[in-house]
Amino acid sequence: MMSLMILIILIACNFIMAFVSSLAAKPHNYVIIENTFPADKIDDPKVIHFAKKYRKRQFQLAFILSFLDLGLLIPMKDSSFMLLFFLLMYATIGANYLTTIRYIRKGHQLIIDNDWQLTTQPIQIDTKLVLEKNRKLVSPWWFSVSLVLILLLSALVYQQGMRDMGLMLLGINVLVWGSLFFTWRAIGRLPVRALTNDQQINQQYNDLTKFYWSSLSVFMSGLISLIVYIPLLTMTMNAKFFNFMMILELIMILLLCGASLWWLISLRQKQDRLLTSTTTFRYSGDDYYWRYGLYYNPDDRRLMVPDRIGMNLSVNLGKIGGKILVALVAVILVVAMVIAVVPLYILDYHPDPLSYEVKDEAVVLDGPFIKEQKIPFAQIEEVELVNHLPFRGIRTNGFATENYATGHYRLDGKPAILFVDHDSKPILKIVTKNRNYFYTNKKPVKTKTLYQKIHQSGN
């Protein structure tokens, strides 16, 4: 089931990336696939053919990558599955990027072959626009609504007994909230340029950008908190209400993605309508600074700049901060793969990855990348062999795959630590006052032996 869900997510990502990338083929500020074309050449048959071919290639690539993703349905060990998943994900990112680079060069060559180069015009400073650049920026006080929501939801989680989880999620959500607030500040600090000789159009263009982007930051700061907290708040609910809340969770995720995309496309369309209503568009030579789809301009003091599609903010690689951010993303991608694959490799191929030891009137449970758990016999209130884990549960720190469940969970409203191989039955359940423990050895006979030892110690 999990492999099918991951496959669906990967395929969806392929086509979402194809759709978003294909937007670069639609003129925005007279830019088509990172190249600025003359206004009177936007509808030229050569340009239209070039743009259509690019869009076609993007979706062809999505179909090819989706076919390769079907390899995840082949039965394999969890470590191999996760390694293949990451390789396919990186292949999707890499193939999309290389395709874009190829067509950026084709677009540049098309301009040269037809002698369509634009004359660079000096940057025009509009003093009034500079002074009023943030008049439509959404007030930062709107962020207080999402901050209060985070604090209330954290308090609810804390009251339900999930104290450690409540504090951890509070920290994570405040970090996300802070990142979005930083984005809002970056939007407010973006300098403005007079894109045309029409002062009114320049002001309207800037107002649209500041309003749409800042309001999106506020919207995301509240909705992301709800998406994160709802699974935890459903832990003590009855089954019917639990299912309803899970459906609501899915709807909110779709809402976050769909509404954000719709909002940014609406902004882009309004900006383009403004620019096409005038013939005085000013070309400032930006094509020179967009290299390989990335912005590099050491003389530009901006760290964050609007991307050429009009859908996002990009970083200026000409700044040290930009280099650090891009390098950090690459490091995170590699570290994520290592953290996910290495423990699963140990679980798959180590002869005894989930081990136990009985010593000093206590049982010690251990596993890869899980803190060793020492459970004194005196603290054990109940021990039994079960065939299934509780239905309602959420992982708070650890691994959850089709074959393994390890780390910290919350099952049926109570903290639990799992050392479970789903292919091994029965499962040993150890009940203490503060939390439950679930354990299986790869060899079921060893699990039963541990049960007998603990059971005898209680007698």
Side-chain angles (χ1 to χ4, degrees):
M1 184 63 182
M2 183 176 294
S3 59
L4 181 60
M5 291 177 61
I6 291 178
L7 174 63
I8 293 172
I9 292 172
L10 268 180
I11 292 176
C13 287
N14 291 338
F15 285 95
I16 290 173
M17 287 188 67
F19 171 72
V20 173
S21 297
S22 69
L23 291 175
K26 295 182 178 181
H28 177 63
N29 297 355
Y30 302 110
V31 175
I32 302 175
I33 316 174
E34 302 289 1
N35 292 281
T36 306
F37 286 79
D40 60 339
K41 303 300 180 183
I42 292 296
D43 295 323
D44 187 282
K46 295 177 184 177
V47 177
I48 293 174
H49 174 73
F50 166 66
K52 285 183 176 179
K53 192 172 181 180
Y54 171 74
R55 287 196 293 268
K56 182 179 178 181
R57 287 289 181 269
Q58 285 290 350
F59 284 98
Q60 285 176 337
L61 179 62
F63 276 107
I64 292 172
L65 291 169
S66 298
F67 177 77
L68 294 176
D69 291 342
L70 295 176
L72 291 173
L73 296 178
I74 299 173
M76 65 185 81
K77 292 184 178 293
D78 279 353
S79 56
S80 301
F81 178 88
M82 288 305 300
L83 179 60
L84 180 59
F85 163 75
F86 277 101
L87 293 177
L88 288 169
M89 183 176 66
Y90 297 159
T92 297
I93 297 171
N96 181 274
Y97 179 68
L98 291 175
T99 301
T100 301
I101 294 301
R102 180 168 178 245
Y103 276 85
I104 289 175
R105 292 177 176 176
K106 282 179 174 287
H108 181 66
Q109 192 62 45
L110 179 63
I111 291 174
I112 293 176
D113 291 344
N114 291 275
D115 196 23
W116 290 343
Q117 293 93 332
L118 292 168
T119 301
T120 301
Q121 296 175 269
I123 295 176
Q124 185 182 79
I125 304 299
D126 186 333
T127 306
K128 182 180 179 182
L129 178 60
V130 172
L131 293 175
E132 297 182 355
K133 68 175 185 176
N134 288 331
R135 69 178 189 177
K136 294 295 183 180
L137 190 74
V138 171
S139 170
W141 289 106
W142 282 105
F143 279 96
S144 62
V145 176
S146 55
L147 183 59
V148 170
L149 179 64
I150 290 172
L151 295 175
L152 288 175
L153 291 173
S154 297
L156 285 173
V157 172
Y158 191 87
Q159 288 179 352
Q160 289 186 358
M162 296 179 280
R163 298 182 178 180
D164 294 339
M165 175 55 61
L167 292 174
M168 184 180 73
L169 285 181
L170 175 61
I172 292 173
N173 275 278
V174 168
L175 181 63
V176 172
W177 182 90
S179 300
L180 290 168
F181 186 76
F182 171 79
T183 301
W184 176 89
R185 283 181 56 86
I187 293 167
R189 292 170 65 88
L190 284 176
V192 293
R193 289 182 179 177
L195 296 175
T196 74
N197 291 331
D198 189 320
Q199 189 179 56
Q200 184 178 3
I201 288 180
N202 292 335
Q203 185 69 64
Q204 290 176 339
Y205 187 99
N206 177 75
D207 289 345
L208 283 170
T209 302
K210 295 299 178 78
F211 172 74
Y212 270 74
W213 281 3
S214 60
S215 59
L216 181 61
S217 299
V218 172
F219 169 74
M220 292 180 68
S221 69
L223 193 60
I224 289 176
S225 299
L226 288 173
I227 291 173
V228 170
Y229 279 103
I230 278 183
L232 293 175
L233 296 176
T234 58
M235 288 301 302
T236 58
M237 297 177 180
N238 60 57
K240 290 183 179 179
F241 197 63
F242 176 84
N243 292 334
F244 168 76
M245 294 300 290
M246 288 299 96
I247 293 173
L248 180 62
E249 171 88 350
L250 178 61
I251 290 173
M252 285 198 298
I253 292 174
L254 295 175
L255 176 64
L256 177 64
C257 299
S260 300
L261 191 60
W262 169 79
W263 192 246
L264 292 173
I265 291 176
S266 298
L267 166 63
R268 179 186 149 113
Q269 291 173 340
K270 290 180 179 180
Q271 289 175 330
D272 290 336
R273 282 198 293 269
L274 280 174
L275 291 185
T276 54
S277 66
T278 180
T279 59
T280 60
F281 177 74
R282 301 177 62 85
Y283 174 64
S284 57
D286 282 352
D287 288 6
Y288 175 78
Y289 299 108
W290 286 91
R291 305 173 184 178
Y292 306 103
L294 301 171
Y295 186 73
Y296 185 92
N297 185 0
D299 297 326
D300 191 335
R301 65 184 180 86
R302 296 176 296 175
L303 174 63
M304 309 296 293
V305 296
D307 70 5
R308 308 214 83 185
I309 299 179
M311 299 287 291
N312 205 345
L313 289 174
S314 185
V315 297
N316 182 4
L317 285 177
K319 297 295 182 182
I320 295 178
K323 294 182 177 70
I324 292 174
L325 285 174
V326 171
L328 186 61
V329 171
V331 169
I332 290 173
L333 289 174
V334 174
V335 170
M337 181 175 69
V338 171
I339 291 176
V341 174
V342 172
L344 289 174
Y345 184 86
I346 296 172
L347 287 167
D348 282 336
Y349 295 103
H350 193 282
D352 192 20
L354 302 174
S355 61
Y356 73 85
E357 187 178 2
V358 177
K359 62 178 182 180
D360 301 329
E361 297 298 318
V363 57
V364 179
L365 305 179
D366 199 8
F369 291 84
I370 312 171
K371 184 179 179 181
E372 181 182 272
Q373 299 295 317
K374 184 175 182 180
I375 314 168
F377 289 144
Q379 294 182 8
I380 297 176
E381 298 178 349
E382 183 182 348
V383 60
E384 62 178 322
L385 294 173
V386 297
N387 289 321
H388 303 285
L389 293 172
F391 172 71
R392 286 196 302 169
I394 187 168
R395 173 173 53 92
T396 58
N397 180 22
F399 287 91
T401 69
E402 290 186 352
N403 295 321
Y404 303 105
T406 62
H408 292 257
Y409 286 67
R410 190 169 185 85
L411 304 178
D412 284 346
K414 186 176 181 180
I417 300 179
L418 275 59
F419 300 80
V420 174
D421 180 342
H422 292 306
D423 291 332
S424 179
K425 294 290 188 297
I427 303 170
L428 177 65
K429 178 181 179 181
I430 301 173
V431 179
T432 66
K433 181 180 179 180
N434 295 323
R435 61 179 52 86
N436 296 335
Y437 299 85
F438 294 85
Y439 171 83
T440 63
N441 194 279
K442 276 198 170 184
K443 298 179 180 178
V445 64
K446 288 190 175 183
T447 305
K448 295 177 182 178
T449 299
L450 178 58
Y451 165 75
Q452 292 172 356
K453 290 181 178 180
I454 297 175
H455 192 71
Q456 289 171 1
S457 69
N459 298 329

